[in-house]
Amino acid sequence: MNQSQDSINSNMQDINKISDENLAKLSITNQDYFYHLLKRYEKKMLRYIMRTTDVSFQGAEDITQNIFIKVYENLNDFDSDLKFSSWIYRIAHNEIISQFRKRQSRAQTVSMEDDKGKSLVEIINDTYNLHEDYLSKEMAEKVRDVIALLPMKYKEVLILRYLEERDYSEISDILCKPIGTVAALINRAKKHFKNIAEQNQLSSLL
Amino acid sequence: MTDITKNVLARIKSKGIFPRSCWYFWLRHTLAWIAISIYIILSCIAFGIIIFQIVDADWDLYEYLASNLLSFVTLILPYLWILIMIIVSFLVCYYFRHTKKGYRYNILIVILASFALSVIGGGILYVSGFSEKIDTELNEELDWYERLHQFRHKPWMMPQKGFLYGKVINMKGDRIVINTPIGDRWVVAPPIDFQNRLCEGKMIKLRGHMIGSGAFAADEIRFHEGFRHLPPPPLEDFESIESMKENIPIMRIK
């Protein structure tokens, strides 16, 4: 019993050592590897969808399942020059856009916290030297509304940069845009955020 | 919270989903590159014909053919080919952006690179005479293409001013009969040096003067396809090569 448990633990350690990219290659021929790959991204994808869209948790789960099915179908198209995370986020981005078009409605809310409990408000405020003392719950809600008012392209790029902590090159691969365009988009998104914040009585903090 | 991973694997099993074959993706990417190559070739052809039609325009006669240089330029611009080139360049950019790594390049760089390729390719096609050949073939084979060019040749349809344009439909002795795009028939006396170079079906532009109703005496003939495709004048018409050289500027072959 102990021996088999040790063997399982050893296998798990081995799998944990395998990179996402190699796991993706191995998944083509063995679904067990695909299981482990999905486990690595299950929470990340759910969180990303919840942040970017206004769907319910149930809806986010459905979208995540669709994303994973697409990942499986397109495993042979994965380009090893890319990070696997960039590739799966790209599929997620396309699926979200597709769902967004189907629903014909704008996303309304954004989940505001990252893994460390640091809010988007704080992260973006760092850019504008906001005083953390002023960040009240009420203000967080206002900022959430501001984020919701941002066009999808700005909202997504801010979430990818500051909450998902992706670098410019990864965002370029996810959104399929040149790095220069990504930098300009982030810059414009910040300005847009600032403008809307000013219009929504957040100007005192900017 | 449902176990998404397990659900996904169950769905894959129940629906019999498999990763798509490598060949499927290879074919998709290859087809995209084939489409890009075809569009680039088309763009080169379009640019080659644009150069030809602009260079082939009767710049030396612009004062007679249009009120000023600007109206002459607007008259001779090959709008159809410019439009084709714009559409094809757009398609090149579109397909390139959808290749595996095409998105990494700035759209301006892609447009400029596509334009540069068209200029180089079009230049080569023009210098090799291929552009002239295509334009002439299209002009002779497609009625709508020829009609499209009518406005370019409109100034050449003023016989009273000494300009005439049409297709040679008959050759009798030292006279030829031409049919203008508006359906008029003219009996033309061509310059002697040109008689052996004319054949039925050729589109020609004539400079000269009216000698009566439906009769025209030509001092100069210009061929649609330019000088490169003209058969050389028979040597017996000239006393020597030297005399031929002397005659070339007088003939003003274009």
Side-chain angles (χ1 to χ4, degrees):
Chain A
M1 183 71 184
N2 277 343
Q3 268 185 343
S4 69
Q5 190 62 46
D6 286 347
S7 153
I8 290 168
N9 286 342
S10 148
N11 276 344
M12 279 306 293
Q13 276 179 350
D14 287 345
I15 284 172
N16 285 339
K17 280 178 192 167
I18 302 174
S19 69
D20 293 349
E21 290 75 20
N22 285 333
L23 217 45
K25 278 180 195 164
L26 292 167
S27 300
I28 296 169
T29 48
N30 190 336
Q31 273 192 13
D32 291 343
Y33 290 108
F34 192 56
Y35 173 84
H36 292 288
L37 189 63
L38 295 195
K39 274 290 170 202
R40 287 185 189 178
Y41 282 91
E42 200 179 68
K43 281 182 184 168
K44 286 180 189 171
M45 285 297 112
L46 265 176
R47 191 188 56 200
Y48 179 58
I49 293 160
M50 293 296 287
R51 278 172 175 162
T52 331
T53 67
D54 65 339
V55 293
S56 63
F57 189 76
Q58 177 73 44
E61 282 185 338
D62 290 343
I63 294 174
T64 306
Q65 287 192 31
N66 288 342
I67 291 166
F68 287 165
I69 296 282
K70 282 185 179 159
V71 167
Y72 188 66
E73 283 177 331
N74 294 292
L75 276 172
N76 273 316
D77 196 32
F78 171 58
D79 181 356
S80 49
D81 286 353
L82 290 182
K83 278 186 176 179
F84 180 80
S85 61
S86 299
W87 188 64
I88 196 170
Y89 269 95
R90 182 193 292 176
I91 292 174
H93 161 77
N94 290 338
E95 184 62 22
I96 288 166
I97 297 287
S98 154
Q99 294 289 331
F100 183 78
R101 283 182 185 147
K102 272 184 202 163
R103 288 155 53 88
Q104 290 285 306
S105 63
R106 291 191 57 169
Q108 294 298 312
T109 56
V110 179
S111 174
M112 300 300 292
E113 293 188 346
D114 70 358
D115 282 344
K116 297 165 195 162
K118 199 177 183 187
S119 72
L120 181 61
V121 187
E122 288 172 296
I123 296 162
I124 292 172
N125 285 347
D126 288 346
T127 318
Y128 296 106
N129 301 316
L130 300 184
H131 301 291
E132 284 185 25
D133 299 355
Y134 287 100
L135 291 172
S136 62
K137 202 176 175 183
E138 189 189 347
M139 203 54 77
E141 274 175 20
K142 279 185 181 176
V143 176
R144 184 183 297 147
D145 291 341
V146 173
I147 295 288
L149 288 172
L150 284 172
M152 185 66 165
K153 59 178 180 179
Y154 293 145
K155 181 163 60 180
E156 195 170 27
V157 88
L158 284 183
I159 289 167
L160 281 169
R161 181 75 190 101
Y162 296 107
L163 291 181
E164 302 295 327
E165 294 176 339
R166 302 281 140 195
D167 61 33
Y168 281 30
S169 160
E170 285 176 285
I171 298 173
S172 156
D173 291 333
I174 293 166
L175 302 180
C176 289
K177 289 180 193 298
I179 291 181
T181 309
V182 168
L185 206 57
I186 290 174
N187 218 19
R188 259 182 273 145
K190 283 180 188 173
K191 278 180 189 163
H192 219 81
F193 177 88
K194 197 178 172 185
N195 285 343
I196 296 177
E198 278 170 354
Q199 287 163 14
N200 287 272
Q201 295 165 339
L202 280 161
S203 52
S204 58
L205 295 174
L206 296 170
Chain B
M1 181 182 158
T2 51
D3 190 334
I4 296 173
T5 302
K6 277 191 177 166
N7 279 355
V8 168
L9 292 177
R11 238 170 98 182
I12 286 172
K13 207 171 181 182
S14 67
K15 291 190 175 177
I17 299 169
F18 290 98
R20 288 194 188 105
S21 142
C22 294
W23 287 103
Y24 170 83
F25 296 107
W26 179 86
L27 193 71
R28 238 175 58 169
H29 298 308
T30 309
L31 283 176
W33 278 107
I34 289 172
I36 291 169
S37 310
I38 290 171
Y39 289 134
I40 287 175
I41 292 169
L42 267 176
S43 179
C44 292
I45 291 173
F47 196 79
I49 294 178
I50 289 170
I51 301 174
F52 167 65
Q53 290 199 355
I54 290 174
V55 174
D56 182 55
D58 307 291
W59 291 96
D60 54 330
L61 299 175
Y62 87 86
E63 286 164 321
Y64 304 101
L65 301 172
S67 52
N68 55 47
L69 188 62
L70 188 69
S71 57
F72 180 72
V73 170
T74 51
L75 194 74
I76 55 123
L77 278 179
Y79 296 102
L80 172 71
W81 290 105
I82 290 172
L83 185 71
I84 288 174
M85 206 182 142
I86 291 170
I87 293 171
V88 166
S89 300
F90 170 78
L91 288 170
V92 168
C93 293
Y94 176 82
Y95 278 97
F96 183 76
R97 293 276 288 183
H98 285 81
T99 56
K100 263 192 168 181
K101 292 184 178 111
Y103 65 86
R104 291 184 181 176
Y105 299 90
N106 189 300
I107 188 76
L108 258 177
I109 292 170
V110 178
I111 291 170
L112 285 175
S114 156
F115 186 72
L117 275 176
S118 308
V119 170
I120 295 165
I124 292 169
L125 291 181
Y126 171 72
V127 171
S128 67
F130 191 70
S131 308
E132 296 176 18
K133 221 171 189 174
I134 295 176
D135 194 45
T136 309
E137 285 290 320
L138 290 173
N139 220 33
E140 284 172 6
E141 298 299 325
L142 302 174
D143 284 345
W144 65 267
Y145 188 80
E146 199 217 317
R147 276 199 298 276
L148 208 71
H149 278 65
Q150 273 180 24
F151 75 98
R152 290 187 81 208
H153 298 126
K154 210 175 170 184
W156 282 91
M157 286 184 249
M158 297 183 293
Q160 64 282 6
K161 287 190 178 176
F163 297 98
L164 194 59
Y165 170 73
K167 186 187 270 185
V168 179
I169 54 165
N170 202 347
M171 298 179 70
K172 278 180 186 168
D174 59 351
R175 293 285 181 270
I176 58 169
V177 179
I178 67 161
N179 203 5
T180 67
I182 52 169
D184 294 341
R185 288 197 176 179
W186 288 79
V187 177
V188 178
I192 294 167
D193 303 335
F194 282 89
Q195 283 175 3
N196 290 326
R197 302 190 200 185
L198 295 167
C199 61
E200 285 178 17
K202 223 173 232 323
M203 300 298 297
I204 54 172
K205 291 184 267 190
L206 307 158
R207 263 195 95 184
H209 56 277
M210 274 176 74
I211 50 174
S213 174
F216 195 88
D219 303 323
E220 179 191 344
I221 296 181
R222 293 184 182 200
F223 293 85
H224 170 79
E225 66 267 39
F227 63 89
R228 263 191 281 255
H229 297 286
L230 284 179
L235 283 174
E236 60 266 29
D237 285 356
F238 301 93
E239 286 174 12
S240 65
I241 296 293
E242 286 310 307
S243 69
M244 186 173 78
K245 280 180 186 168
E246 281 167 17
N247 275 285
I248 288 170
I250 301 163
M251 290 193 292
R252 305 185 69 181
I253 300 168
K254 189 159 188 201

